[in-house]
Amino acid sequence: MRSFLTRVLPVAAALALLCGPAVTAAPAATADRTALSIPDKPGLYQRVLTRPDTRLLTLPGGAAAPGPALPALSVLYVFDRRAVQGKDWIEVGAAADAAQGWIAAAQAIDWRQTLTLAFTRTSNRDPALFFRDHDRLTHLLEAEDLVPQVDRLRAEVKTGRFPTDFPVIAKEPDTYIDPNEQFYLLPILAFEPVYLQSGHETMLLKVAAVTLQAGEQDLLGTDTAAKPTPKPARQPNAKPADKTAASRPAGYRAGVVFVIDSTTSMGPYIDRTRTAVRRIYDKLRGSTLGERLSFGLVAFRDNVEAAPGLEYVSRVAASLEDGRDPATFQSKVAGVKEATVSSKGFNEDAYAGIQDALERIDWSGFDARYIVLITDAGARDANDPLGRTGLSAERLRLLAQEKDQSGGGGKIAIAVLHLLTREGRQTHEGATRQYRELSRWGDAGDLYFPVEGGAVEAFGTQVDTLADALLRQLESAASGRLIEVPEGPKVDPVERKTALVGRAMQLAYLGRETGSRAPRLIEAWVTDRDLIDPTQKTLEVRVMLTKNQLSNLQETLEAILAAGERTHMNAKDFFDQLRGAAAALARDPDKVSQVQVKRLADVGLVGAWLDGLPYTSQIMNLTPERWLARSYAEQQEVLDVIDEKIRLYRKVHDETDRWINLAPAAPPGEAVTTLPLDSLP
């Protein structure tokens, strides 16, 4: 009897797996053809994923094309389907306008919605388990003794030896892999919502993934042969079995950029921040850790047209490169002073400072990445005419966590030290909502830390606690230990939450350094929440889309926004305008009279994108009746959200490093990226 042992999914090497030379060696593409559309979804093409050892043929049942087999989970468009001599065949190509050859239908997996999964950060939860079949997973979720059963499964997985009929066939890697840094696919083949006895809802997901072949050494140091054998020597890129091995890769570096309000009354806090940084630099003087921690500083004020004496909206006072040398950093930030004139209103343009920290600071080479916002005011939001960014807290957070940073490293965490001064009490409630949303981060919840009363002494304690926590994390990582998350009622929330984030960033770093290899395909079932603690998300659903598709989505939203802005004084005309926009996007003006727009999603490809997804959009499902039932302010809120999505798509479109070509022969418009499901309109 063969033993099924823990197999680690190939996230670190998936790009090499997907981007092999096979498509390059295919026959010359047949131009001037278009891939088949999904039935009832014009504009969305049929795609398939390949199984291992799939070969491209010149004709159905004919000779194989020169070159090696296609990489497992290659993503191909479908141009034709035929039955020849009792077997089904599919004509495929790497691009939607060029067929390249035929593959056996049995070697293809239909991928209808191009949905894929990404692991959430693993700082404070157990790895996800992948089950052999749907029924075993559902029976487990319905079991009265769920907790002891799951505990037994996890214990047996750790042993590396279990029976042939063991329900678990794979597990999540122990180290986190950022999908924007190292592109990988866990395509969703089917999904089913399930309501748990706890009252939570979880999603059962059928996924495809590649694992190690039998007999190979997997990344946990276990062997997948049928009988026990001595473990071979660990491969150079393999991860040690324990979590404290000193042989882990060295070089973990942290970058911290303070984004500080420099308007009137902020002088004492600016000085105290400088003192905190100087204190850390003094601790690092002469230490080997000195080169592994760097600080930067961005100062922000507000709209200079409304108050010209403010001098600037936002400016980078010191970059992370400046912060590599304490003397350089201190000299750069010495000139940061509080403004001598007041801004218009109490809120300031904090989001402009965050945006500059994201886009004007070079984060490459830093593995732990933090932005620390310090302010006593609320932020100018997306619809504030005095705001520079036009972005909301949610969009800025998505940019921080989705922005591809070249040169290694991962997502950027945003922490907020909010000074609750008496002068700003009328803004506290709204600002708290903004900053909790801006600082949301996985299982840490949010990194929002209010300073009651805004006392400089209390603020200084918070800054010192934060800086000391980051220093301890750096020391742990440098010594090869996982960052510990302190627990208990007396633990400072600043220390605990930053440790959760730091541990997640360290695991991401280890995931980048260790890597994996793969060539076997499995199909398995998994839940998107932890089996025991359903409040913990283990997986997030993402949508894979091409650059062309993102452009189409953006174009559709721009047409909806333009119609809304033209008719904001007469809401009844809005859907009449949308009918013309829908016909124009269909590239057939003669059909204007035939187009029906019964909801916003009927414009362009949005409806086709959303229908059938495990996702409901209250905005795009708006009907004329629901639109007219909204007040003017509520209608404007809908248009503001659409405007934010457009801005987000523009930024993603322009980030060249995050786009991946799955086949060398594919044109630039077929490059792909993945976005979280909640970034759809």
Side-chain angles (χ1 to χ4, degrees):
M1 299 287 288
R2 174 175 173 174
S3 296
F4 282 85
L5 306 179
T6 303
R7 297 186 176 98
V8 176
L9 305 179
V11 291
L15 182 55
L17 176 71
L18 293 170
C19 302
V23 177
T24 308
T30 304
D32 301 325
R33 295 182 61 192
T34 302
L36 299 177
S37 294
I38 296 174
D40 301 322
K41 292 183 180 292
L44 292 185
Y45 299 115
Q46 296 182 33
R47 295 190 190 186
V48 294
L49 303 163
T50 58
R51 297 181 184 276
D53 301 320
T54 299
R55 291 191 171 272
L56 204 59
L57 309 181
T58 54
L59 294 170
L70 294 169
L73 293 188
S74 293
V75 182
L76 301 173
Y77 290 91
V78 175
F79 289 82
D80 197 2
R81 298 177 185 265
R82 291 185 196 174
V84 177
Q85 297 179 347
K87 288 188 65 175
D88 292 328
W89 300 88
I90 303 175
E91 189 180 18
V92 296
D97 59 356
Q100 293 179 278
W102 294 80
I103 62 173
Q107 289 294 99
I109 303 170
D110 284 316
W111 193 23
R112 181 176 176 82
Q113 293 288 3
T114 61
L115 291 178
T116 184
L117 291 176
F119 295 110
T120 62
R121 294 177 180 269
T122 54
S123 59
N124 197 36
R125 63 172 179 81
D126 290 304
L129 300 179
F130 290 75
F131 286 75
R132 184 182 307 279
D133 56 60
H134 170 277
D135 291 345
R136 293 198 186 193
L137 179 52
T138 53
H139 289 160
L140 176 66
L141 292 173
E142 295 168 354
E144 293 184 1
D145 59 342
L146 169 67
V147 173
Q149 281 202 51
V150 173
D151 287 342
R152 283 195 298 271
L153 288 175
R154 286 173 173 164
E156 290 191 64
V157 165
K158 289 180 180 179
T159 68
R161 304 283 174 183
F162 29 85
T164 303
D165 62 347
F166 195 68
V168 177
I169 59 174
K171 70 178 285 292
E172 174 185 358
D174 289 326
T175 52
Y176 173 75
I177 307 297
D178 189 331
N180 288 336
E181 291 290 329
Q182 300 182 52
F183 183 91
Y184 64 88
L185 279 183
L186 282 175
I188 298 174
L189 308 180
F191 56 86
E192 174 187 331
V194 171
Y195 293 92
L196 306 175
Q197 294 180 12
S198 63
H200 293 86
E201 180 183 5
T202 189
M203 194 71 69
L204 268 59
L205 300 154
K206 184 180 182 182
V207 299
V210 280
T211 68
L212 297 178
Q213 291 182 359
E216 292 186 337
Q217 179 75 7
D218 76 8
L219 298 184
L220 294 180
T222 57
D223 184 75
T224 56
K227 58 183 180 180
T229 56
K231 294 179 182 178
R234 189 170 64 86
Q235 300 297 319
N237 69 332
K239 189 182 78 65
D242 68 273
K243 293 189 175 183
T244 59
S247 59
R248 287 223 172 117
Y252 183 81
R253 299 178 64 212
V256 182
V257 174
F258 291 99
V259 176
I260 191 164
D261 186 341
S262 62
T263 55
T264 57
S265 77
M266 287 297 294
Y269 305 102
I270 297 170
D271 292 339
R272 188 59 180 83
T273 302
R274 278 194 288 252
T275 299
V277 174
R278 186 184 304 114
R279 176 174 162 272
I280 291 297
Y281 278 137
D282 288 343
K283 284 188 174 183
L284 291 173
R285 185 177 292 123
S287 166
T288 56
L289 296 178
E291 295 183 355
R292 296 195 184 185
L293 179 62
S294 184
F295 292 98
L297 191 142
V298 174
F300 72 88
R301 290 178 178 172
D302 201 22
N303 190 294
V304 293
E305 294 181 1
L310 289 176
E311 300 178 7
Y312 59 84
V313 178
S314 172
R315 68 181 180 90
V316 176
S319 68
L320 287 172
E321 181 62 30
D322 296 327
R324 292 168 65 91
D325 177 64
T328 302
F329 176 84
Q330 294 293 349
S331 67
K332 290 272 189 177
V333 302
V336 178
K337 306 290 184 182
E338 65 178 21
T340 57
V341 300
S342 297
S343 55
K344 185 175 181 179
F346 197 82
N347 286 345
E348 319 289 356
D349 204 349
Y351 293 168
I354 296 291
Q355 186 179 48
D356 282 352
L358 290 174
E359 298 181 353
R360 296 183 57 198
I361 296 287
D362 181 6
W363 293 89
S364 59
F366 292 95
D367 306 290
R369 301 171 172 194
Y370 295 89
I371 290 173
V372 181
L373 173 64
I374 300 170
T375 184
D376 64 348
R380 296 206 180 276
D381 225 323
N383 57 357
D384 191 322
L386 296 183
R388 189 192 72 185
T389 68
L391 298 172
S392 66
E394 180 188 11
R395 295 302 143 224
L396 273 173
R397 176 179 54 77
L398 278 172
L399 286 175
Q401 297 185 7
E402 289 299 312
K403 184 176 176 64
D404 182 39
Q405 303 286 345
S406 59
K411 301 178 180 181
I412 300 172
I414 302 174
V416 180
L417 296 180
H418 184 195
L419 309 169
L420 300 179
T421 61
R422 186 173 182 274
E423 292 78 10
R425 61 187 180 278
Q426 77 277 9
T427 68
H428 290 170
E429 183 178 351
T432 298
R433 285 196 302 270
Q434 289 178 316
Y435 295 145
R436 286 194 183 281
E437 177 63 38
L438 179 68
S439 64
R440 274 203 295 121
W441 177 282
D443 49 14
D446 60 59
L447 303 179
Y448 172 77
F449 307 116
V451 181
E452 294 295 337
V456 175
E457 182 179 349
F459 166 74
T461 300
Q462 293 271 49
V463 173
D464 287 344
T465 300
L466 177 63
D468 288 342
L470 295 177
L471 184 57
R472 283 193 294 273
Q473 293 172 26
L474 197 61
E475 290 169 344
S476 294
S479 63
R481 303 190 312 272
L482 279 182
I483 293 167
E484 295 183 2
V485 179
E487 300 289 352
K490 296 184 179 180
V491 173
D492 190 299
V494 174
E495 184 177 3
R496 181 181 179 277
K497 288 188 174 186
T498 53
L500 282 168
V501 176
R503 184 183 176 97
M505 289 180 173
Q506 183 190 18
L507 289 170
Y509 163 75
L510 293 171
R512 288 190 297 275
E513 293 295 318
T514 54
S516 64
R517 55 199 179 97
R520 195 176 108 74
L521 185 82
I522 63 168
E523 294 180 27
W525 286 85
V526 65
T527 60
D528 68 342
R529 294 183 178 273
D530 184 80
L531 294 167
I532 293 177
D533 182 6
T535 64
Q536 293 272 7
K537 289 280 287 186
T538 56
L539 296 153
E540 69 168 0
V541 178
R542 299 174 73 91
V543 179
M544 192 189 83
L545 68 170
T546 67
K547 211 164 193 178
N548 288 338
Q549 289 170 329
L550 183 66
S551 296
N552 287 338
L553 201 55
Q554 178 182 322
E555 184 180 18
T556 297
L557 295 187
E558 287 174 343
I560 294 173
L561 181 64
E565 291 176 339
R566 283 196 301 268
T567 60
H568 72 278
M569 297 301 292
N570 188 355
K572 292 183 179 180
D573 294 338
F574 181 42
F575 275 76
D576 289 337
Q577 291 282 341
L578 290 179
R579 186 180 64 180
L585 288 169
R587 309 294 190 263
D588 192 350
D590 294 335
K591 292 187 176 181
V592 173
S593 61
Q594 304 171 26
V595 172
Q596 296 294 317
V597 180
K598 299 179 180 179
R599 55 176 186 154
L600 289 191
D602 292 334
V603 180
L605 296 177
V606 177
W609 268 100
L610 299 182
D611 290 342
L613 294 180
Y615 167 89
T616 300
S617 170
Q618 294 181 344
I619 289 179
M620 300 313 295
N621 283 326
L622 277 176
T623 62
E625 294 76 21
R626 291 174 181 170
W627 177 257
L628 290 174
R630 289 175 173 253
S631 66
Y632 171 76
E634 290 171 331
Q635 291 172 351
Q636 188 59 48
E637 184 179 353
V638 170
L639 297 178
D640 288 342
V641 171
I642 291 174
D643 189 31
E644 286 181 28
K645 301 285 186 182
I646 293 170
R647 294 171 185 267
L648 176 65
Y649 297 160
R650 285 174 182 161
K651 289 183 178 295
V652 171
H653 183 277
D654 293 342
E655 289 175 6
T656 56
D657 290 342
R658 74 176 293 155
W659 293 94
I660 303 296
N661 282 312
L662 294 183
E670 292 299 323
V672 301
T673 191
T674 63
L675 291 176
L677 198 57
D678 61 7
S679 68
L680 289 180

